[in-house]
Amino acid sequence: GAFYAPPANPYGRPLSSRYITLAEVLRSNGYWTAAEVANFGKLQPSMGLAKGFAEYDWPQAINLADAGQPFYLRRGARRIWELAANTADFDRIKLQAADINQRAFALLDQVPNSSHFFLFLNYMDAHTPYAPAPPFNTRFPGRLPHFTDVDRMSLEDGVNKRKRHPSEAEKAHLISQYDGGIAYLDSELGKLLTRLRDLGLY
């Protein structure tokens, strides 16, 4: 029954207190429990899914402004900056996998000796705005260098209202960036597994 639905429910409809989470079960059985989540909206503690975690972190990336709003500093700055560099970073509103991993590594250093542990990690890199970090943003063919998240939202709105279809170039761009996000996340998961092995926790 938990449901995140702003703006009508700005803090969401939380998980009912009658439900027991996996983290609660494990913690009651002696596990050390911790979580790092990139989805700061749907996984914020007010949604009730943080129950049972000894450590729970839901950081939010700092942005210049809301991409959905028509007039903001970042839009003007982006037009100028795009002349010289990739501006996909402007679209990211959630921490990347490397950020989550860095925080997870710090948590792994806190795992008590001889303790079972449950570490929940949530990544959002294969999700909108489809802006993978270099070199993954160019790993697959089809990328449109100046296609922004505002363009994607406009396209999505047009498709949902049955007013237009995505062009072949738009499809190729979205697929290439989605695949790039998956490849980037796969690379970061490899680093997580390496860290677990190095710590003798794998």
Side-chain angles (χ1 to χ4, degrees):
F3 188 70
Y4 180 67
N9 297 296
Y11 300 104
R13 187 174 65 217
L15 182 70
S16 170
S17 60
R18 68 188 168 120
Y19 294 112
I20 298 170
T21 67
L22 176 60
E24 287 179 295
V25 171
L26 292 174
R27 190 170 182 188
S28 69
N29 282 280
Y31 279 69
W32 181 77
T33 57
E36 272 302 331
V37 301
N39 192 335
F40 58 83
K42 294 183 179 178
L43 294 176
Q44 61 185 289
S46 63
M47 293 299 292
L49 299 171
K51 295 189 309 176
F53 286 103
E55 303 279 342
Y56 193 89
D57 191 25
W58 72 105
Q60 184 172 353
I62 297 171
N63 301 300
L64 293 175
D66 181 354
Q69 299 300 320
F71 302 106
Y72 272 100
L73 169 65
R74 78 175 183 178
R75 195 167 292 182
R78 181 178 197 155
R79 287 190 187 111
I80 295 167
W81 194 258
E82 263 184 356
L83 299 174
N86 175 20
T87 61
D89 283 347
F90 281 55
D91 289 331
R92 290 191 197 103
I93 60 170
K94 296 178 175 72
L95 293 185
Q96 292 181 282
D99 303 314
I100 295 298
N101 274 356
Q102 182 179 17
R103 291 166 177 268
F105 295 167
L107 285 172
L108 287 170
D109 290 337
Q110 298 176 39
V111 174
N113 290 337
S114 303
S115 175
H116 294 295
F117 71 95
F118 172 54
L119 178 61
F120 173 73
L121 301 176
N122 165 250
Y123 301 94
M124 295 292 289
D125 300 279
H127 195 283
T128 57
Y130 308 127
F136 298 95
N137 61 336
T138 57
R139 185 168 184 174
F140 300 97
R143 178 176 176 262
L144 298 173
H146 302 293
F147 190 93
T148 69
D149 199 43
V150 171
D151 298 322
R152 182 200 57 81
M153 288 188 287
S154 175
L155 171 63
E156 185 178 312
D157 185 58
V159 169
N160 287 340
K161 291 179 179 175
R162 301 179 191 270
K163 291 183 176 179
R164 63 167 292 200
H165 295 283
S167 69
E168 290 304 312
E170 289 167 332
K171 284 183 199 176
H173 169 79
L174 292 171
I175 291 169
S176 77
Q177 298 308 283
Y178 180 75
D179 289 350
I182 292 171
Y184 166 70
L185 180 53
D186 186 59
S187 172
E188 291 299 321
L189 289 174
K191 293 174 185 176
L192 172 66
L193 296 178
T194 297
R195 184 60 170 256
L196 288 169
R197 289 184 184 102
D198 290 346
L199 293 171
L201 298 173
Y202 184 71

